[in-house]
Amino acid sequence: MSNLNDYATLLDDAAREVREVGQFDPTGRLSLADAYEIQSLSIKRRVGRGERRVGVKMGFTSRAKMVQMGLSDVIWGRLTDGMQIEDGASTSFARFVHPRVEPEIAFVLKRPLEGNVTGPQALAAVEAIAPALEIIDSRYKEFKFSLPEVIADNASSSGFVVGAWQSPTIDFSNLGLTLNIDGRVVQVGSTAALLGHPLRSLVAAARLSALAGEPLQAGWIVMAGGATPAEWIKPGQYVSLDMERMGTTGFHVQE
Ligand code: OOG
Ligand code: MG
């Protein structure tokens, strides 16, 4: 296979048919530009099936995630409405190959945000913030990939859940959080894990998506990245996030 569209089709089919694929670039020779082009082509396939773009997800914005996955560049992916799970709802385990969950914070924008912006400029574009969970489900066997491979695979994005929106006037620079499975705390962390302040993740999202020619839009959601290592999830579990001052969000994993 050589054509970028072939890789996009391979990954999109794997996601749709819920199966793993082998790594096609384990040593990371593909350029990052080509990797993002594969991602873009695979999202075009989703949009062609009727899904709608609703925002951006950031990846490897915390040291915990970089260490867990062995990669240290900030990456981003594209979110569609087909990935969103309602707060407190159930999602079928059958949708996933080998899902993991991670605690995040989400932004929703009230106006477009584009290019090289400062923290205060980014904050001024934020309508609201919320505790959020991301379900990542790499399409690669054993959840192993090189940097271009994970970028091509839309940064492993598979699902996301956003809790009740809160005012962005809350100081969200360093909020304690716990990730819980069936009421048991499995990870403890803080929003400060995200580049020192989650707003920096939004600043990076504004820059990177504008560079790709798809600037952040009013109404879009930006997921700031996992604040702790991700945890495997299993059928029958209830997964939740408690965030200081921000409340809680969760979802059921249906058998
Ligand atoms: C890649 C996606 C990383 C995050 O929040 O850091 C990510 C992966 O870990 O599979 O979503
Ligand atoms: Mg994530």
Side-chain angles (χ1 to χ4, degrees):
M1 253 190 345
S2 52
N3 181 311
L4 300 183
N5 208 40
D6 291 341
Y7 292 121
T9 304
L10 173 82
L11 291 165
D12 180 57
D13 285 351
R16 235 160 13 112
E17 294 161 14
V18 193
R19 54 180 173 74
E20 305 174 315
V21 297
Q23 291 185 247
F24 52 77
D25 183 29
T27 55
R29 289 172 175 215
L30 213 61
S31 73
L32 299 192
D34 280 354
Y36 278 109
E37 181 59 19
I38 296 170
Q39 181 190 123
S40 165
L41 291 166
S42 81
I43 296 298
K44 284 195 176 115
R45 294 172 63 87
R46 284 177 173 261
V47 170
R49 293 194 295 271
E51 291 184 40
R52 191 169 52 85
R53 253 318 271 295
V54 296
V56 161
K57 65 156 281 180
M58 300 302 287
F60 305 140
T61 48
S62 72
R63 210 180 135 62
K65 282 289 301 179
M66 291 180 200
V67 168
Q68 183 176 41
M69 305 316 292
L71 294 172
S72 55
D73 290 32
V74 169
I75 63 173
W76 64 282
R78 293 159 163 98
L79 299 176
T80 70
D81 60 346
M83 301 172 189
Q84 188 158 8
I85 298 161
E86 286 311 308
D87 187 18
S90 291
T91 185
S92 167
F93 188 81
R95 278 182 55 187
F96 310 110
V97 179
H98 42 208
R100 286 170 152 166
V101 68
E102 53 198 19
E104 307 211 1
I105 184 168
F107 300 96
V108 66
L109 301 183
K110 61 182 171 199
R111 62 172 94 119
L113 186 65
E114 177 171 0
N116 289 310
V117 296
T118 63
Q121 284 168 335
L123 186 58
V126 174
E127 168 85 42
I129 56 179
L133 290 162
E134 185 179 27
I135 303 174
I136 49 175
D137 191 30
S138 172
R139 266 52 70 169
Y140 301 106
K141 276 195 185 100
E142 291 170 26
F143 227 110
K144 291 211 175 87
F145 40 68
S146 64
L147 184 63
E149 284 175 331
V150 65
I151 290 168
D153 187 27
N154 199 28
S156 307
S157 55
S158 187
F160 66 98
V161 187
V162 179
W165 293 108
Q166 310 291 334
S167 165
T169 56
I170 293 173
D171 176 1
F172 55 92
S173 61
N174 184 12
L175 297 176
L177 57 89
T178 62
L179 175 64
N180 318 296
I181 296 186
D182 293 333
R184 189 170 48 87
V185 174
V186 292
Q187 290 287 345
V188 178
S190 158
T191 58
L194 302 165
L195 301 171
H197 191 313
L199 208 46
R200 295 209 178 100
S201 181
L202 180 59
V203 166
R207 184 172 54 81
L208 295 171
S209 44
L211 272 177
E214 294 177 12
L216 301 179
Q217 305 293 310
W220 274 17
I221 292 169
V222 176
M223 297 281 290
T228 72
E231 290 283 332
W232 299 109
I233 53 179
K234 297 191 186 65
Q237 290 178 330
Y238 181 71
V239 181
S240 63
L241 164 63
D242 292 328
M243 190 179 283
E244 184 185 355
R245 300 193 62 197
M246 296 271 284
T248 184
T249 183
F251 63 95
H252 295 271
V253 190
Q254 226 164 42
E255 302 275 346

